[in-house]
Amino acid sequence: MIWLTWRQFRVQAWVAGAALAVFAIALAASGPHLSSLYGSNGLTTCHGSGPCGTAATSFLQQVRHDPLYSALYNACFGLLAAVPALIGVFWGAPLITREIEAGTFRLAWNQSITRTRWLAAKLGLTGLAALAAAGLLSLMVTWWSSPIQAAAPLLPRDANGFSVVLSRFQPLLFATRGITPLGYAVFAFALGAAAGVLIRHTLPAMAVTLAVFAAIQVAMPMWVRPHFISPVTATSRLDTANITGVEFNGPHITVYPGIDLPGAGAWILSSQAVTASGQPFTGPRPKACGAGSFQACQAALGRLNLRQQVVYQPASRYWDFQWIETGIFLALALALAGLCFWWVQRRRLT
Amino acid sequence: MIWLAWRQFRLQAWLAAAALAVLAIALAVTGPGLTHLFDLSGIPGCQNDCGQLAGNFMNALAHTGYELVFYLAVAIMFLIPGIIGVFWGAPLITREIESGTLRLAWSQSITRTRWLAGKLALAGLAAMATAGLLSLMVSWWAVPVDRATGLAAGRTGASGINRFTPVLFGAQGIAPVGYAALAFVLGVTLGVLIRRTVPAMAATLAAFAGIQIAWPLWVRPHLMTPLTWTAPFNPAMLNTLSAHSPDSMTIITGVRLPGSWILTNQTLTASGQADLGPVPAPCKTGTWQACQTALLRLHLRQIVSYQPASRYWEFQWIETGIFLTLALALAGFSFWRVRRRLLG
């Protein structure tokens, strides 16, 4: 059964291997220079938040303006986001539906091997290959981008909007680093196989796998992931000394506090200015902020007794969240695989 | 032939219509809110230097969830041509080959050319119409965002992301129609050549992704000769000053060209050298004023090569024209191949 599975999986394995090899060469060729850029900006020897902040900003600006590194960085995102979906659509969905459409499942099920053994070999070996491919890719990308991720927490708070975008806890980075890509790949594969056994036609199964997987990937960071562990709510007073900026845009007033409550690398779920009674602050805009110095505006806002309320997941919980999310997706994958086994037992040959 | 092509294409057409309807509802629901936010931002009435208001507006989008809708819409616009090519284009012929119905179709009184023309025309026109309608909806919804990004000068002074930059260019206007047409015909051609459904789908995806990555990098900048803007170095627009080695510093300076596509932005010496020399001492330890004076003494120049915002629609039309021509050429190749060879 192992030989048969390999024989049917050969082309996909070679294509995946070739793509991984090409990407690995590109990363290996540029990785050492990225590390040396990290060192030459003084980030390995700096002390204190001031010099480290300047060095980190300079390093990240250089990376951002270098066409090769920014292209590779975006390619890492694109590949790691696409690979689980591709595995589900091209490895998972056709796994069983091709045999159903071609009728070869009757030949396979008429052999001395049991149906369970047949499905176990196909699902298990191809699933392991999916796990290995996603794992290798994630390992390569995490290794290559480690200088960038190491510089991100050192940034000063308002450096050109980098610090939020590069927080490894924010959804796009969370899904493309660490061990979550492995969970996604195995889940997408199992989803494809399950869609295949339920729909029994290749093209619709591929389309359904893609649609369902995309929907889950969008819904997960928005509605499910924030609640894995109860977020931390922290409040700080917004007095005159503490307000570093304010923006007015119609009903939306954003006050920028001087204290960074969540700390670097946290996942900020909501951050707003609230009045003393706990309601969100929606105005009215103090007269001093319309026309006048910023100091007068600061003083006026400080007198309103506002507080900054931040709901966040602290950076220390990053690996907890990674393991919880991977565990959830692996459990879902096992459930879907169980569905495939159950269906294979029930199906009649005619 | 039209009835047969429709009968085979029915399911995909209904799915596309349903997806369009869902997206239309989502955009219609959030559109008025976005316009309201834009009106309140003060940008419509502002006369000059609206950059700060535009920046505030973009930040407000981030806080209210409209930014997420925008990015989802852009992501969908980039994925749709690829999905059309993979799910409509590649299986068009290969499904018939694999199930054997090709022999039935080709042994009718209709010619092979007429048969392929019917299938290609119906699905191809549907693909272009889907992409066009989607692009229309997204472009209508994103008008406030486009106006704000066309004005915004970020703290770096660069024009940042706007509808002309590669990240957003392919998601609005008429370019998606060209992409959808090419992806579809690319799928059909690869299906005719490879003759198996799943490999043809994978090959279409790989080929189309390669085109979409290579095009904005190597071809689009040269569709029209870029303009060059040059000025003496202005320390007020300094973005980064860094030194890889003790003898050579690099300076990145912002530039204020709202709405345009910046191709290259270099700060060079007066004679055009990239080697700016060592970091001046006042910039290592000293006040910002002293550093500025020292940098001004170096007589640096900033040279920016860019495509101005006014050329946006020319680029859209040129790009769509090129992609449609490529699609027609590939379609011609498919016709030739279908007539000359037995595919079953």
Side-chain angles (χ1 to χ4, degrees):
Chain A
M1 199 54 222
I2 299 179
W3 178 87
L4 179 62
T5 311
W6 164 248
R7 189 66 181 71
Q8 288 175 322
F9 181 65
R10 237 179 14 178
V11 172
Q12 288 124 314
W14 283 126
V15 168
L20 271 175
V22 166
F23 197 56
I25 291 173
L27 290 186
S30 57
H33 189 237
L34 192 62
S35 304
S36 73
L37 205 60
Y38 183 82
S40 75
N41 270 290
L43 280 161
T44 39
T45 54
C46 72
H47 295 288
S49 60
C52 280
T54 330
T57 314
S58 159
F59 168 63
L60 288 170
Q61 286 282 25
Q62 281 176 29
V63 171
R64 186 210 231 179
H65 282 98
D66 184 317
L68 175 68
Y69 285 123
S70 62
L72 271 177
Y73 190 68
N74 291 331
C76 290
F77 274 128
L79 262 182
L80 266 175
V83 159
L86 289 176
I87 285 178
V89 170
F90 285 101
W91 292 12
L95 191 75
I96 311 209
T97 53
R98 294 289 295 150
E99 301 236 17
I100 295 175
E101 280 188 337
T104 57
F105 76 103
R106 297 196 184 94
L107 174 64
W109 291 359
N110 272 321
Q111 304 308 305
S112 59
I113 194 176
T114 61
R115 297 186 192 184
T116 312
R117 176 103 188 273
W118 169 84
L119 185 63
K122 287 183 75 116
L123 271 183
L125 288 170
T126 321
L128 273 175
L131 190 72
L136 263 175
L137 192 58
S138 175
L139 191 69
M140 292 194 306
V141 167
T142 309
W143 167 81
W144 184 86
S145 65
S146 51
I148 300 176
Q149 295 308 126
L154 301 171
L155 286 170
R157 277 197 73 239
D158 58 350
N160 301 318
F162 270 141
S163 47
V164 170
V165 168
L166 287 178
S167 161
R168 63 178 185 169
F169 221 143
Q170 61 101 2
L172 197 57
L173 269 176
F174 187 83
T176 52
R177 300 279 189 276
I179 54 169
T180 43
L182 283 87
Y184 298 157
V186 174
F187 169 72
F189 174 72
L191 181 67
V197 304
L198 290 175
I199 299 177
R200 299 189 306 269
H201 296 286
T202 316
L203 269 177
M206 292 167 89
V208 165
T209 309
L210 185 63
V212 171
F213 185 71
I216 290 182
Q217 288 292 76
V218 168
M220 194 67 168
M222 284 209 314
W223 295 314
V224 185
R225 198 186 296 155
H227 306 295
F228 286 172
I229 307 178
S230 298
V232 173
T233 309
T235 334
S236 73
R237 287 171 52 92
L238 279 176
D239 43 25
T240 316
N242 220 350
I243 298 175
T244 53
V246 62
E247 278 173 11
F248 295 95
N249 198 296
H252 295 281
I253 302 173
T254 317
V255 182
Y256 291 103
I259 302 178
D260 185 11
L261 284 172
W267 184 20
I268 299 179
L269 298 170
S270 83
S271 168
Q272 51 183 352
V274 296
T275 59
S277 56
Q279 304 301 318
F281 174 59
T282 50
R285 185 214 293 232
K287 288 200 197 53
C289 294
S293 70
F294 180 60
Q295 277 77 16
C297 184
Q298 254 182 334
L301 283 171
R303 274 194 291 275
L304 291 174
N305 241 337
L306 298 172
R307 280 197 290 270
Q308 183 77 9
Q309 189 182 63
V310 186
V311 179
Y312 67 101
Q313 300 282 2
S316 52
R317 290 184 184 173
Y318 173 73
W319 279 108
D320 295 334
F321 271 70
Q322 284 262 327
W323 282 108
I324 294 175
E325 179 134 344
T326 309
I328 289 179
F329 275 89
L330 285 177
L332 282 173
L334 282 173
L336 287 169
L339 174 72
C340 295
F341 279 102
W342 170 84
W343 178 87
V344 158
Q345 288 301 322
R346 280 194 41 154
R347 165 88 180 177
R348 291 185 303 164
L349 277 177
T350 44
Chain B
M1 194 57 221
I2 299 178
W3 180 87
L4 179 62
W6 163 250
R7 190 66 180 70
Q8 288 174 323
F9 183 66
R10 228 174 28 170
L11 180 63
Q12 286 125 312
W14 285 126
L15 279 174
L20 271 174
V22 165
L23 261 146
I25 292 174
L27 291 179
V29 160
T30 50
L34 181 67
T35 321
H36 182 64
L37 206 62
F38 183 71
D39 291 333
L40 287 173
S41 69
I43 299 176
C46 112
Q47 307 288 15
N48 44 7
D49 197 19
C50 313
Q52 183 60 34
L53 290 177
N56 285 1
F57 175 66
M58 299 303 293
N59 285 336
L61 288 188
H63 288 123
T64 50
Y66 285 109
E67 191 188 51
L68 180 66
V69 179
F70 180 63
Y71 283 138
L72 276 178
V74 168
I76 290 175
M77 284 312 301
F78 271 114
L79 289 176
I80 286 293
I83 291 179
I84 284 178
V86 170
F87 285 98
W88 293 10
L92 194 75
I93 312 286
T94 53
R95 294 287 293 157
E96 302 235 19
I97 296 176
E98 283 188 337
S99 59
T101 56
L102 190 78
R103 298 196 191 104
L104 174 63
W106 283 9
S107 53
Q108 303 307 303
S109 57
I110 193 176
T111 62
R112 295 186 195 180
T113 311
R114 177 101 189 276
W115 169 84
L116 184 62
K119 292 182 69 124
L120 261 187
L122 185 72
L125 284 173
M128 287 165 60
T130 310
L133 268 173
L134 258 179
S135 174
L136 193 68
M137 294 194 301
V138 171
S139 303
W140 166 82
W141 186 90
V143 160
V145 180
D146 285 336
R147 287 226 235 132
T149 53
L151 292 169
R155 265 171 288 179
T156 64
S159 52
I161 293 184
N162 57 62
R163 64 177 186 170
F164 209 157
T165 51
V167 177
L168 292 183
F169 184 82
Q172 295 179 37
I174 55 164
V177 174
Y179 298 161
L182 180 66
F184 174 74
V185 179
L186 185 65
V188 173
T189 310
L190 285 172
V192 167
L193 290 173
I194 299 177
R195 301 189 306 255
R196 301 270 181 275
T197 312
V198 178
M201 292 168 83
T204 309
L205 186 64
F208 188 66
I211 292 176
Q212 286 293 75
I213 292 172
W215 187 268
L217 273 181
W218 293 315
V219 184
R220 195 189 294 152
H222 308 293
L223 289 179
M224 292 175 75
T225 316
L227 298 179
T228 311
W229 176 89
T230 173
F233 168 69
N234 179 3
M237 300 285 278
L238 176 69
N239 188 332
T240 327
L241 191 158
S242 53
H244 299 268
S245 57
D247 297 323
S248 156
M249 69 170 166
T250 319
I251 292 183
I252 303 171
T253 320
V255 63
R256 194 161 271 140
L257 287 165
S260 57
W261 180 22
I262 311 271
L263 298 170
T264 64
N265 176 0
Q266 296 167 296
T267 307
L268 308 169
T269 62
S271 50
Q273 305 295 326
D275 182 4
L276 301 174
V279 181
C283 293
K284 286 197 257 207
T285 54
T287 65
W288 174 230
Q289 270 70 21
C291 180
Q292 272 186 317
T293 323
L295 286 174
L296 279 170
R297 260 200 296 270
L298 294 174
H299 295 295
L300 302 172
R301 294 196 67 77
Q302 186 184 8
I303 301 185
V304 174
S305 143
Y306 70 107
Q307 300 283 2
S310 51
R311 286 187 184 175
Y312 172 73
W313 277 108
E314 290 178 68
F315 267 74
Q316 285 267 332
W317 282 107
I318 295 175
E319 183 144 333
T320 309
I322 293 179
F323 273 72
L324 284 176
T325 315
L326 281 173
L328 281 172
L330 280 175
F333 173 74
S334 308
F335 276 105
W336 173 83
R337 186 86 181 175
V338 158
R339 288 192 53 185
R340 294 290 302 258
R341 309 260 183 202
L342 286 174
L343 294 180

